[in-house]
Each structure stands twice: as structure tokens, then as C-alpha cells.
Amino acid sequence: MNGAESLLRTLVGSGVEVCFGNPGTSEMHFVAALDRVEGMRTVLGLFEGVVTGMADGYGRMAEKPAATLLHLGPGLANGLANLHNARRAATPIVNIVGDHATYHAQYDAPLASDVRGFARPVSGWVHSSVSARTVAADGARAVQAALQYPGQIATLILPADTAWLEADHPAPALPKPLPATASAEAIDQAAVALKSGRKTMLLIRGAALKESGLNAAGRIAATSGARIACDTFAPRCQRGAGRVKVERVPYFAEQIVEFMKGTQQLILVGANPPVSFFAYPNKPSWCTPDDCKILHLAHVHEDGTAALEALADAVKAARDPAHIGSPGKPDIPAGPLNPQTAGQIIAHFLPDGAIISDEGATAGGGMHRFAANIAPHDHLALTGGAIGQGIPLATGAAVACPDRKVVCLHGDGGAMYTPQALWTQVRESLDVTTVIFANRSYAILNIELARVGAGEAGPKAFSMLDLHNPELDWVKLASGMGVEASRATSVEGFASQFASAMSNRGPRLIEVVL
Amino acid sequence: MNGAESLLRTLVGSGVEVCFGNPGTSEMHFVAALDRVEGMRTVLGLFEGVVTGMADGYGRMAEKPAATLLHLGPGLANGLANLHNARRAATPIVNIVGDHATYHAQYDAPLASDVRGFARPVSGWVHSSVSARTVAADGARAVQAALQYPGQIATLILPADTAWLEADHPAPALPKPLPATASAEAIDQAAVALKSGRKTMLLIRGAALKESGLNAAGRIAATSGARIACDTFAPRCQRGAGRVKVERVPYFAEQIVEFMKGTQQLILVGANPPVSFFAYPNKPSWCTPDDCKILHLAHVHEDGTAALEALADAVKAARDPAHIGSPGKPDIPAGPLNPQTAGQIIAHFLPDGAIISDEGATAGGGMHRFAANIAPHDHLALTGGAIGQGIPLATGAAVACPDRKVVCLHGDGGAMYTPQALWTQVRESLDVTTVIFANRSYAILNIELARVGAGEAGPKAFSMLDLHNPELDWVKLASGMGVEASRATSVEGFASQFASAMSNRGPRLIEVVL
């Protein structure tokens, strides 16, 4: 077998089941090997930002890495923004990036570039294979690196001749890295703190935002009165009726300060103290009260769920968690169609077990206020602030969870970054409903322009934030990629279209005109 | 004035007239300053790959840098693939990349990343401002760096506080760097070589592919019998009836070998010896005959036109150049619509002074065989092989040359990378006609799969190269972004639609179904 086949067999043997890709000439031996090896599903994206965003969505839900297949430096470059988001989500991903044959590099052909340089800012692990004989072992190491707890991006650069030359055999899978255990001291200190009676917040990030971690947190809260919170942009959070409620840290600095006010002790579980998303003149970046004591119960590489469970035991927590969301979905609203009523409609119809890919930006908040009381669901946020994540993320999540409804909430500005993912949803018959909040602007920036103290927008400034001229027609855009699409201009219209999307399978897009 | 305004005034004072951008919060002070400073046109792109591709098209035609305005590391990252192309084109560009305020970096907020790391692989010059007081001077240096002959990418990272804090005044423009002069020895040696009577090829790249450089080359050819050639992917080449004909180096290695056969002397003018675009097993990467003598008449940083003129004098060249293209546009063809007949129709109707942005890939070749005999035009190629250049490049060229018709020839696979540029064409009322060659596949890859010896494509491999399922509807996609669009399925239909597009102004798109 050649190097490409030895690598592919190694990836499959190491548990990688899906390859999201957009290959080129230098990846053709890897592509050809796909038909000789069982067990690797291939999903084509029409742009690399789609490919990497899908790998992120897949990894967050499957909790194991997908492979990406990318074409030299520029192919990787196109995927970097969503790899930035994936890095912030700590999603395990194995990038396979083709490159020129080792002996061809000296000629500086047009596509030659500093592939390692492109990879470094987003990758926890980067390696460029030097021989077909070592590619398989490099692949096994890449998978293990991607699984380094809690997950990271491993980029394996594959020169074309290391793919096409003769190799020996696949490499055995390496042991899956386990999370470290939080220190006994950290648990003791947190227990002492909780017993002090001071006002405490548990700030959680990572896998502990799933049900078992939240249950432990809820038990601690039942005994100690601690608040339970997560980042504004937690990678994945399990919410809904019957689950322990989590307060979401708000977005703007002064809101965070208000949110944190009175907190005397902040116990961190895989999280950092909340800071302002951007800096603003004369507004704080650091939002934790000065006199608040900060304790690290579990660092990011430690098992936060186990730490919470140990802490619950240490404080002799009640068996039943506090803050359980009671069932109670909202009614279908009346009145004009706006982010609030649209969110209420989404909350009403959301089916059990749905996955929400949330890049709703200024318009996405309408459903969150109901989140604790509606059908249990997973919420996936825009972790790194690089817009253009939502549609690819939803697509990858649907690949990982074919039996669950995926709902993508998206601002129109960000959705124009990676609309090509809609095409993949059709090709792969994925059950994704995309809701485009069409306010015809980068609405957040109109807010931010004032907040940063830059004054009123003149006509030129305004033209950089406004999407009215010309207006985007999302029904045409989506149907141009084969997605069934409709436009809603009233609550009745949106309720009917969204209800229909929830009760049928397959890709749908609804443009909510705001 | 604040730092942003001092920078903007410096850019304008240094001759930068256009800012292509997609800003975010950290760029809001720069955006707000746009209304306080005369002389900077702003053009919004809905994705940063569009922004940087427009800056490339503008720079190739205006021969001076535009500014880009990009949002932190991920905004820059989205623009990197077209910056790779621009680097290969030696296009002058000044990137202004916003970043977190200097004091905010310590908090590692979600959008924080290694901006310098993203910038380095494409930038000849990178600097991150440290103070509002120095931003203006940094801007002047960035413009000068971009103009370093023949042109390069200068990336100025602008932390938000260096934009909003008080600055002193704009910085004076720095002298424009001049090209170096080719050495007298190089001219003497080339003259001696030409007089030897050995078979000689002049391989030219850069500004010498404009009329005056080509005239000098044509005069040398008239006296010496030398062939005149340019790279397959020359950034800009002036072609058409009445101009000196240039042979274009073909794409595939074995074609290049054939093209170069018998060449005893290769005289390079801003070019490198031709090499294979990709490496292939058992095919050569180096395509110049082993016994061919290679002479550097002008290096890439030297004035190639002046060197050719000096060489023409040194060999006492005839006054009239050889190889002048005689006028003779082809007839409108009959028969089926295919790349050849489509190309013939384009050649027939192309107006005087048109600019062709060529990412036609496997389908774009149809018009080139007529290029020397049709209306004089500029041809802009996909310089770095990173697909998704063509539509943005056409858009930027149209901003630079509002009185010239721009024709964009594009394969459908590549066009899906950066279709958002169509929206900017409407917003800016640009005179661009986009022809999409819709073969529903990454057609080049079907060819390459066989060429690299990877064997027949099985169903999985084929699925990574094929765009049929679902079929893209370019008429819907374009009209979803406000562009008047139509579909051609016959030569008559395409001839009529293309003729109409050439005789009217404004954005148009024609999907040629192949």
C-alpha cells in the first residue's frame, strides 16, 4: 500500500470515521485510497471554511475528531477562521493538509507557501511528514494529539510523495489521552470556601456543562446556595426542562460587571474569569469584583465533572440538584415579527433532543430566556467570535447526530461568510433547519460604534455596516444551492413555516425579515 | 485627532485612495474617521476573501496599493488565500488589521489570536503598532513597504487603543521606492547570447508584460529571432491586435517540456524558469532542457522594461517589433455550446480595453487562442493557484478602471469560494460581466486523478470531485445578491446574452451550462 492508504487505515483504526474535505491535486492519492478502505465517510464542502466548521460541529457532538482534507497552504488558510473557533471550543480535529512533494518544494511553484506558518496559530500539534514509511505513525500521533484533553487541533502536513510512495503498514492506534484529575487540595479548598457561607459562583466550561456535570453542580448549589454559570460562548451546553439551569454570562462588559456583582468567591471549572469580549475606552476589561476570591477547582485539562462530583461529596451535598428547569414552553406569540417573537416561536416548537447552532448575534437572544423550560437540547455557541461558523457547525453536528433535529440560528451578515454549507446539507440529506435573521446589517456594529465612543456614523461609516443596498434574497440563495426555502414576514408566517420544518426532515431555510 | 484619523490621513497623503474592508468592533474608530477625512473611497465586501481579492485586482490595474480593513486574526485569516495569490502577483497591498487594545491582550478574549503569525506567510512587511502617537508613521512605512518594487503585502496591525487614543498629526508620505536597474553585465551577457545565433526564449513577468516592455521584446525578436513567452499565470499581460504576441507557457509538465524543447538560451526578465505546477510521479518538475543556458536579464526587483530596452539597443534591434498581432476577431461559431465555442463568442464580442479576470480553469482556454488578434485587453491570471480569486479580482479591477469593461471567466467550483463579491458589484455599480462555466465538477481534478497515477476514481473519490448533487443554480445565486443573471445552453443563447452584456453597463452574470 502507498502512504496515503497507510494513513487512511491508521485514521480509521484510531477511531476517525468522517473526513470533511475539499481536496486538490496534491491530495489525489488520499482521495483515491478512500475507495480501498472501509469505514471512512467522506463529506465534501464547497469551501474550506465550511469543511473546518463542519469538523468543529462534528467534534463537539461526537466527542472525537473528524479528519479534514485540505489543499496546501491556501486550502488550510481558507479554513483558519473556523479552526480559530474550534480552538476556542477545544474541539478535537485532525487536519490533513496536502503539500507539494518534498523534492518539488525547492521550485517555489505557485501554490507553495509556508503551510506550517498558516497552521501554527490554530494548532496544538503540527507535523510535516518526511517519508511515506512514517506517515501512518504520524497519523496515529495526530489523532492522539487531537484527543489531548479537552481536545485540540492537530495538523498533519502530507507532502504528495509521502502519499504516493510505498509504505509498510498502518500504525496501531495510540492510547486515548485521559483528562487529568483535579487535585485533592483544589477540592478541599473549594469545599472550605463553599462552607464559609460567602456568596459563590460556579463558572463552568467544557464537558462539565453536560447533564452529569450539571447535576453535580446543582447538588452543590442545593447545599450551598452557589450560583451556576457558564461563559457567553460556551462550546456546548445541555439545557432544557428537567436539567440543571445555568446562568449565561452576558455579552457586554458593564452587563458582566452587574452579573458578577456581590460574588465573593468564584470557583472555576475549566473556565477563566469572565472578561469583556472587546476592550472599550473607559470600560473595564476585567469584570470580576476586586474583592472576589478566585479558586480553580478544575483546570481546562482536568476532569471537571469528576471534580464537581468530588466537591459535592466533600460538602455532603443533597442528593437532588437545585435549579431544575420546570417544563413550560411558551405560547405562540402575537404581534409583530421581531427577534423576541421569533425566539418564542422557536422555543415553542423546538423538538426533544434538538441541537442549536447559535450564531444569532443581535437577533439570536429571543429564545434563550425560555431555554431552561423547553425541550431538552444542546446549545452550541460561536466560541471564537469569528463569524461564519453557524451553518457549517450545524452541518457537522447533523453528520454526528443523524437522528436529532439541528436548528441553526444565524444573523444575515455572518451567514454570508459560509453559505456554501447549505449545499452540503442537501448532498448529505441532513436534518438542519436554518433560520436567517435578516436585519440587513451588521447590527452589532451599529451598537458597537456608539459603545466605543467613536460618535455617530456618517454616511461612509454607515455604509461599512449596512447590508441594504442591494438586499440579499436568502430564498434565492438557498434554493440556488438546492435547499427548500421560504420567507417569513409575520409571526403567523414564521410559526407555520418553523412548525413545518420541525415536523419534517431534511434541509430547510427560513428567512425571517426583521 | 485620534490615532485612527492620523493613520487614515497618512494613507490618503501617501496616495492610497481606496479601502476595501469588512470591519468589526475593534476597527470602529477607523471606520468613524472615514467621514472626517476626504479622499478615501470605501468598498464593503461581505467576506474577507472578497476584500483581499478586490485589493489584488485594484492593485494590479491601478499599480498602487489599496488598503484593506480586516477584523483581528480571523478576519485576516479569511483573506489569506487571496493574499497568497496577491503575493504571487507581487501586488502592492496595505492590510490594516484591527486587534484588541494593547492592555486587553493579556485576557485572551475569544477573538484573541496570533495575528502576526497569520500575517507572516503572505506579508513582506508586518508591524504591530504600539502607540497612537506612532500609528501615522507606521502607516507611511506600510505604504512604502507595499510599494517596494515590484510590490508586496504590508500588514499593519492596529490595536484598538492605538486607534482611539490621541495622536499628534499625520505622517508625511515617504518616497516611492524605485525599481533597481538591471546590471550592465547582465545586459552585455544577454546581448552576447542573442548574437550567438542560438535558439533563445525571452521569458517575461511583471510590468514588462505591458505594451512598452513587449515592444522592446518584439524589437529584440525582430533582430534575433527570439521567442517571447510569459508564465501560465502571469499577473497581468497586455494582449490583442496591434500588440506584440506573447506565447503562454502551458500548464502541464510534459506540455512545458515540449514547449521548451530546442531552447538553447533562456533569458529571464523578472521571471523564473518554468516548473511544473504540481509534482507528479515519474514526471519532471524542472522543465527547462538540461543543456539550456539560463541568463537573468532583470531580476524581479529590477526594471524589466528598461532592461529590455537597453538590450534592444545593445543588439541594435530593428525599430519595428516582430510578432505583432494582426486584427482578426473570430466569427460567431455554430454547433454545440462548449468551452471552445463559448471562448470564441467571448473573443468575438470582447470590447476594446476590456480587462479579463481569468479563473476559467479547464473551461477558460477557449478564448486564449484568439487573444493576439482581438480587441486589445489586459489579462489577469490566477497567480497563486488558490481558487476563489476571479470574482473579487474582477470587482477590484472594476473599481480601479471604471471606464473599462471587466469580464470574469470562472469555473463553477472556484466561483463558489467567493461568490459574495457579486453583491459588491451591485452596490458599487461596477461594469463586470461574470461568465460561469458550469461543468458541475472540479473538472481539473478528474484529469489530475489520472495524471498522478492514483487510478480510476471509485464512488467515494468521485464524490469529492463532483458537484452534480445538488446542481448549483447560478441564476438564483446571482440574483439573490442582486445581479442580473441568465443561463445559456446553446451558442445562440450565449452569443445573444454575452453581446447584450458587452453593450450594456453594470453587473451581469451568465451561467454557461457545459
Side-chain angles (χ1 to χ4, degrees):
Chain A
M1 70 181 70
N2 63 21
E5 184 173 334
S6 78
L7 172 59
L8 189 53
R9 290 190 185 280
T10 300
L11 293 175
V12 172
S14 302
V16 179
E17 294 180 296
V18 181
C19 176
F20 298 96
N22 188 291
T25 300
S26 39
E27 293 73 57
M28 282 300 108
H29 284 272
F30 190 95
V31 169
L34 289 166
D35 286 289
R36 297 197 297 273
V37 177
E38 289 287 313
M40 183 69 83
R41 177 176 177 184
T42 56
V43 178
L44 176 62
L46 296 188
F47 178 68
E48 290 88 352
V50 169
V51 169
T52 55
M54 292 193 294
D56 185 7
Y58 175 91
R60 290 195 208 178
M61 294 310 301
E63 300 180 351
K64 54 190 248 175
T68 67
L69 183 60
L70 304 168
H71 186 46
L72 298 99
L76 171 60
N78 281 328
L80 287 173
N82 271 333
L83 289 173
H84 167 85
N85 288 324
R87 174 173 77 88
R88 290 291 180 188
T91 305
I93 294 176
V94 175
N95 293 317
I96 308 294
V97 184
D99 198 4
H100 283 312
T102 50
Y103 64 82
H104 196 67
Q106 64 187 306
Y107 300 117
D108 195 34
L111 265 167
S113 69
D114 179 4
V115 185
R116 278 193 197 83
F118 284 129
R120 272 192 203 101
V122 297
S123 304
W125 185 94
V126 183
H127 181 72
S128 185
S129 290
V130 296
S131 158
R133 306 275 177 189
T134 64
V135 162
D138 295 338
R141 290 194 297 135
V143 176
Q144 190 182 48
L147 286 166
Q148 194 70 40
Y149 196 83
Q152 65 179 359
I153 295 165
T155 300
L156 177 60
I157 301 165
L158 188 63
D161 51 344
T162 69
W164 78 51
L165 289 174
E166 191 65 16
D168 297 324
H169 45 70
L174 294 172
K176 181 177 170 175
L178 297 174
T181 304
S183 74
E185 291 80 356
I187 292 160
D188 286 348
Q189 287 172 9
V192 168
L194 283 169
K195 288 174 191 161
S196 72
R198 288 158 58 93
K199 289 192 176 159
T200 304
M201 179 184 291
L202 292 166
L203 184 66
I204 307 175
R205 191 175 168 98
L209 286 172
K210 295 196 300 175
E211 272 191 323
S212 53
L214 291 176
N215 268 338
R219 291 175 56 216
I220 294 164
T223 298
S224 66
R227 293 167 69 190
I228 303 170
C230 73
D231 291 339
T232 323
F233 299 105
R236 178 180 174 188
C237 183
Q238 295 197 318
R239 317 189 301 194
R243 289 176 170 166
V244 171
K245 279 187 279 194
V246 182
E247 300 180 67
R248 197 173 169 203
V249 175
Y251 179 77
F252 288 120
E254 57 274 29
Q255 296 171 333
I256 307 177
V257 169
E258 187 62 32
F259 181 85
M260 300 297 294
K261 195 178 274 180
T263 303
Q264 298 172 297
Q265 304 181 131
L266 180 64
I267 297 181
L268 299 169
V269 183
N272 291 319
V275 294
S276 173
F277 197 85
F278 289 107
Y280 304 92
N282 309 316
K283 292 193 172 74
S285 287
W286 178 261
C287 300
T288 305
D290 286 341
D291 59 355
C292 177
K293 185 177 171 189
I294 295 172
L295 298 97
H296 288 269
L297 174 64
H299 289 284
V300 67
H301 67 292
E302 293 171 339
D303 186 333
T305 301
L308 284 165
E309 286 167 349
L311 179 58
D313 290 346
V315 297
K316 300 190 171 48
R319 217 187 61 182
D320 294 328
H323 306 312
I324 295 286
S326 55
K329 65 179 180 185
D331 294 334
I332 301 174
L337 184 61
N338 58 37
Q340 286 65 45
T341 51
Q344 192 165 339
I345 289 165
I346 293 163
H348 178 90
F349 288 109
L350 198 75
D352 265 14
I355 300 164
I356 297 179
S357 170
D358 185 1
E359 196 177 324
T362 54
M367 69 92 56
H368 295 308
R369 60 208 152 113
F370 306 110
N373 309 105
I374 60 175
H377 62 277
D378 282 77
H379 179 262
L380 312 180
L382 176 57
T383 43
I387 62 174
Q389 178 195 263
I391 310 178
L393 196 81
T395 309
V399 171
C401 303
D403 300 326
R404 297 173 66 174
K405 175 68 81 177
V406 179
V407 176
C408 176
L409 308 179
H410 224 302
D412 51 357
M416 274 306 283
Y417 271 51
T418 47
Q420 305 93 340
L422 294 170
W423 181 88
T424 300
Q425 293 176 8
V426 178
R427 167 169 283 211
E428 300 293 328
S429 303
L430 300 175
D431 193 15
V432 183
T433 296
T434 305
V435 178
I436 301 289
F437 295 106
N439 56 19
R440 319 292 188 201
S441 84
Y442 295 113
I444 184 69
L445 297 184
N446 283 303
I447 300 168
E448 295 283 39
L449 189 67
R451 283 177 50 79
V452 298
E456 289 281 299
K460 275 191 184 173
F462 183 73
S463 78
M464 295 300 265
L465 318 178
D466 175 71
L467 306 180
H468 273 93
N469 171 28
E471 288 202 349
L472 294 163
D473 182 329
W474 279 96
V475 175
K476 283 185 181 166
L477 288 170
S479 53
M481 288 179 271
V483 171
E484 186 184 340
S486 55
R487 178 174 296 118
T489 56
S490 68
V491 291
E492 296 77 16
F494 181 55
S496 150
Q497 291 166 31
F498 192 73
S500 154
M502 292 305 100
S503 58
N504 290 284
R505 287 186 55 82
R508 280 283 293 269
L509 182 140
I510 305 171
E511 179 179 14
V512 173
V513 178
L514 299 175
Chain B
M1 71 181 69
N2 64 20
E5 185 173 333
S6 78
L7 172 59
L8 190 52
R9 289 191 186 278
T10 300
L11 293 175
V12 171
S14 302
V16 179
E17 294 180 295
V18 182
C19 175
F20 298 97
N22 189 291
T25 299
S26 40
E27 293 73 56
M28 281 299 108
H29 284 272
F30 190 95
V31 168
L34 290 165
D35 286 288
R36 298 197 297 273
V37 177
E38 289 287 313
M40 183 70 84
R41 177 175 177 182
T42 55
V43 178
L44 176 62
L46 296 187
F47 178 69
E48 292 87 351
V50 169
V51 169
T52 55
M54 291 193 293
D56 185 7
Y58 175 90
R60 289 196 209 177
M61 293 310 300
E63 301 180 350
K64 55 191 247 175
T68 68
L69 183 61
L70 303 168
H71 187 45
L72 297 99
L76 172 60
N78 281 329
L80 287 173
N82 272 333
L83 289 172
H84 167 84
N85 288 324
R87 175 173 76 88
R88 290 291 181 187
T91 305
I93 294 177
V94 175
N95 293 317
I96 308 293
V97 185
D99 199 4
H100 283 313
T102 51
Y103 64 84
H104 196 68
Q106 64 188 307
Y107 299 116
D108 196 33
L111 264 167
S113 69
D114 180 3
V115 185
R116 278 193 197 82
F118 284 130
R120 272 194 201 100
V122 296
S123 304
W125 184 94
V126 182
H127 181 72
S128 185
S129 291
V130 295
S131 159
R133 306 274 177 193
T134 62
V135 161
D138 295 340
R141 290 195 298 135
V143 176
Q144 190 181 48
L147 286 166
Q148 194 69 41
Y149 197 83
Q152 66 180 357
I153 295 165
T155 300
L156 177 61
I157 302 165
L158 188 63
D161 51 345
T162 69
W164 78 51
L165 290 174
E166 191 64 16
D168 297 321
H169 45 71
L174 294 172
K176 180 177 171 176
L178 298 174
T181 304
S183 75
E185 291 80 357
I187 292 161
D188 286 349
Q189 286 172 10
V192 169
L194 283 170
K195 287 174 192 161
S196 72
R198 287 156 60 93
K199 288 191 178 159
T200 304
M201 179 185 291
L202 291 167
L203 183 66
I204 307 175
R205 191 175 168 97
L209 287 171
K210 294 197 300 176
E211 273 191 323
S212 53
L214 291 176
N215 268 337
R219 290 175 55 215
I220 294 165
T223 299
S224 66
R227 293 167 69 190
I228 303 171
C230 73
D231 290 341
T232 322
F233 299 105
R236 178 180 174 189
C237 183
Q238 295 197 317
R239 315 190 303 193
R243 288 176 170 165
V244 172
K245 279 186 277 195
V246 182
E247 299 180 66
R248 198 172 169 204
V249 174
Y251 179 75
F252 288 119
E254 56 273 31
Q255 296 170 333
I256 307 177
V257 169
E258 187 63 31
F259 181 84
M260 300 297 292
K261 194 178 274 180
T263 303
Q264 296 171 299
Q265 304 182 130
L266 180 63
I267 297 180
L268 299 170
V269 183
N272 291 318
V275 294
S276 173
F277 198 86
F278 289 107
Y280 302 93
N282 309 315
K283 291 193 172 76
S285 287
W286 179 261
C287 300
T288 304
D290 285 340
D291 58 355
C292 178
K293 185 178 171 186
I294 295 172
L295 298 97
H296 288 269
L297 173 64
H299 288 285
V300 67
H301 67 292
E302 294 171 337
D303 186 334
T305 301
L308 284 165
E309 285 167 349
L311 179 58
D313 290 346
V315 298
K316 300 191 169 49
R319 216 185 65 183
D320 294 328
H323 305 313
I324 295 286
S326 54
K329 66 179 180 184
D331 294 335
I332 301 173
L337 185 61
N338 57 38
Q340 284 66 44
T341 52
Q344 190 165 340
I345 288 165
I346 292 163
H348 178 90
F349 287 109
L350 198 76
D352 265 15
I355 300 164
I356 297 178
S357 170
D358 184 3
E359 195 177 326
T362 54
M367 69 92 56
H368 295 309
R369 62 208 150 114
F370 305 110
N373 309 105
I374 60 175
H377 61 277
D378 282 78
H379 179 264
L380 312 180
L382 176 58
T383 43
I387 62 174
Q389 177 196 264
I391 309 178
L393 195 81
T395 309
V399 170
C401 303
D403 300 326
R404 299 172 66 175
K405 176 68 81 177
V406 180
V407 175
C408 176
L409 308 179
H410 224 303
D412 52 356
M416 275 305 283
Y417 271 52
T418 47
Q420 305 93 339
L422 295 170
W423 181 88
T424 301
Q425 294 175 8
V426 178
R427 167 169 282 214
E428 301 291 329
S429 303
L430 300 174
D431 193 15
V432 183
T433 295
T434 305
V435 177
I436 302 288
F437 295 106
N439 56 20
R440 319 294 188 200
S441 83
Y442 295 114
I444 184 70
L445 297 184
N446 283 302
I447 300 168
E448 295 283 40
L449 189 67
R451 283 179 50 79
V452 299
E456 289 281 299
K460 277 190 183 174
F462 183 73
S463 78
M464 295 299 265
L465 317 179
D466 175 71
L467 306 180
H468 273 92
N469 171 27
E471 287 203 349
L472 293 162
D473 182 329
W474 278 97
V475 174
K476 283 185 182 166
L477 289 170
S479 52
M481 290 179 270
V483 171
E484 185 185 342
S486 56
R487 179 173 296 117
T489 56
S490 67
V491 290
E492 295 76 17
F494 181 55
S496 150
Q497 291 167 31
F498 191 75
S500 155
M502 291 305 100
S503 57
N504 291 284
R505 286 186 56 83
R508 279 283 293 271
L509 181 141
I510 305 170
E511 180 180 14
V512 173
V513 179
L514 298 176

